[in-house]
Amino acid sequence: MQGSNHAGGSQNNLEAYSSGLSQEDLMLEDSQTVSSWIKADVNCADDSLVSRTLQAKGSKVNEFDLDPPKVLVVDDHATSRMTAVALLGMEGYEVIEADSGSIVVGLVTQKQPDLILLDVMMPGMDGFEVCQLLKQDEQTRLIPVIFITSLNDRRSRIRGIEVGADDFLTKPFDRVELAARVKSLVRQKRLNEDLEHAEQVLFSIAMSIESRDPNTGNHCERLEKLGQVFGEYLNLSRYQIRDLMWGGYLHDIGKVGIPDAVLLKKGKLTPEDWQIMQQHVLIGEKICQRLRSMRGVIPIIRHHHERWDGSGYPDGLKEDDIPYLAQVFQLIDIYDALTSERPYKKAFTSAEALSVMQEETDSGWRNPKLMQQFAEFILSYYENE
């Protein structure tokens, strides 16, 4: 039985690929009187799921507009579950109930709740197992999980943190504390979803840019993979590796502002064309700078065309003034451009590409130490492959 509570990217050729032709109030009032309990619709014969509809006058969660947040309450004890349902219903939440852990994963996929109140001690699959499964799934990992338990020992809380719990409440819980914690985590989840949607828009723009230039093939996907494995080879942090991978898609996002007459021009670009083309790093920076999650990617976007000797653009930075991740990404970008076929060049072999890159390093364009590490990585990588 199931239901819900409705409350509411020769010298000319080298210059071409190097230029980029080659991609986050606690002010709660007393609850309103419960107006009614209404039996929920029955859509499933599974007796392990119990649902009721609680309607309250004067929703306390009207800051979420006309879309009341959904809360899934999972507890095998009916009394505890009913208490949570009643309190949350009076606060204006849409409440879904379940009395076992075994059905939660499927129910979450179906109902897509904004938060889960999860009992720890349940027969069969306990709360720890349920939380771990949810947090390991890309589709459900952002849903906040609050453990509701009578256990107050340190070991249980540590175990809860290990499996990804977002908060804890001890039975019997206080109404004001419950409402405050749920409200805070639901707000955070929706902010995270907004951020994720904004990121998806940026990646969609980046992919559309790549599709404008049929000569680059799957350049972004190759850069993402190479960024991950080279980052791991350099023992970079998880966030640095993520930024390198995101840079694979977003480094040339500013080309959305470059006219097709320049971006897709066949033949050599004029000096005026080059001035226009070089603006793509600044345009890309402006597009991404409002998102805090892009802070680590922005230096890659702006500076992946700088050179070790200061002859690059847009700022003419020299040596270690160039952000380190931009230096790392630059090698990946150049290597992929050289080993890919383009209208103005054939696809170089790995050895040929490394030879060209070493010549550029000897000319002062690249970080010598980093170039040595990259060459060693490529040799090791393809041997393993």
Side-chain angles (χ1 to χ4, degrees), residues 27-252:
M27 291 296 292
L28 296 176
E29 302 172 350
D30 291 335
S31 299
Q32 300 285 339
T33 304
V34 178
S35 61
S36 63
W37 283 95
I38 303 176
K39 190 73 174 179
D41 295 335
V42 178
N43 299 318
C44 177
D46 193 340
D47 291 334
S48 61
L49 173 62
V50 181
S51 247
R52 294 177 176 84
T53 296
L54 178 65
Q55 293 187 348
K57 298 179 180 179
S59 170
K60 298 298 183 66
V61 291
N62 56 11
E63 68 179 77
F64 297 108
D65 302 321
L66 299 178
D67 184 17
K70 296 179 184 178
V71 178
L72 172 61
V73 179
V74 188
D75 196 322
D76 62 315
H77 293 289
T79 303
S80 298
R81 192 172 64 246
M82 289 173 62
T83 301
V85 171
L87 294 177
L88 290 169
M90 288 189 292
E91 296 296 329
Y93 292 95
E94 180 179 341
V95 186
I96 307 164
E97 294 181 58
D99 62 5
S100 72
S102 59
I103 66 168
V104 170
V105 175
L107 187 60
V108 167
T109 301
Q110 178 187 358
K111 295 295 187 178
Q112 300 182 347
D114 293 286
L115 182 139
I116 302 172
L117 291 179
L118 183 60
D119 187 29
V120 171
M121 304 305 295
M122 293 185 294
M125 183 180 293
D126 64 23
F128 296 132
E129 295 177 87
V130 173
C131 184
Q132 188 167 31
L133 286 173
L134 293 172
K135 294 301 184 179
Q136 289 175 346
D137 191 326
E138 189 70 21
Q139 300 302 316
T140 58
R141 63 182 178 84
L142 290 180
I143 301 176
V145 174
I146 300 179
F147 275 140
I148 298 180
T149 177
S150 57
L151 300 175
N152 201 27
D153 61 288
R154 180 170 175 267
R155 178 180 298 179
S156 295
R157 288 184 174 264
I158 291 176
R159 174 65 175 144
I161 294 171
E162 288 175 344
V163 298
D166 297 275
D167 208 342
F168 300 86
L169 282 173
T170 303
K171 299 177 182 178
F173 43 78
D174 178 80
R175 175 187 62 80
V176 176
E177 182 182 13
L178 170 65
R181 291 176 185 263
V182 169
K183 183 177 182 180
S184 176
L185 285 174
V186 168
R187 182 190 298 115
Q188 185 61 51
K189 175 188 179 277
R190 295 200 167 183
L191 289 174
N192 287 338
E193 288 178 334
D194 289 344
L195 178 59
E196 191 171 64
H197 292 160
E199 291 170 352
Q200 290 172 354
V201 169
L202 290 182
F203 282 99
S204 296
I205 294 174
M207 293 303 294
S208 70
I209 294 167
E210 185 176 50
S211 68
R212 289 172 66 196
D213 187 353
N215 300 318
T216 58
N218 295 321
H219 180 59
C220 294
E221 294 178 9
R222 295 193 301 267
L223 291 180
E224 179 190 35
K225 180 179 180 180
L226 202 54
Q228 179 181 6
V229 291
F230 187 39
E232 292 170 350
Y233 179 85
L234 294 174
N235 294 317
L236 299 182
S237 71
R238 180 170 67 91
Y239 293 107
Q240 289 175 311
I241 293 174
R242 180 204 65 182
D243 291 337
L244 277 178
M245 295 172 66
W246 285 5
Y249 285 95
L250 300 174
H251 67 292
D252 278 344

Side-chain angles (χ1 to χ4, degrees), residues 21 258-265 269 272-274 276-277:
L21 278 176
I258 304 302
D260 284 352
V262 175
L263 182 64
L264 305 181
K265 184 175 182 177
L269 296 182
E272 293 76 17
D273 293 335
W274 280 117
I276 295 173
M277 178 66 76

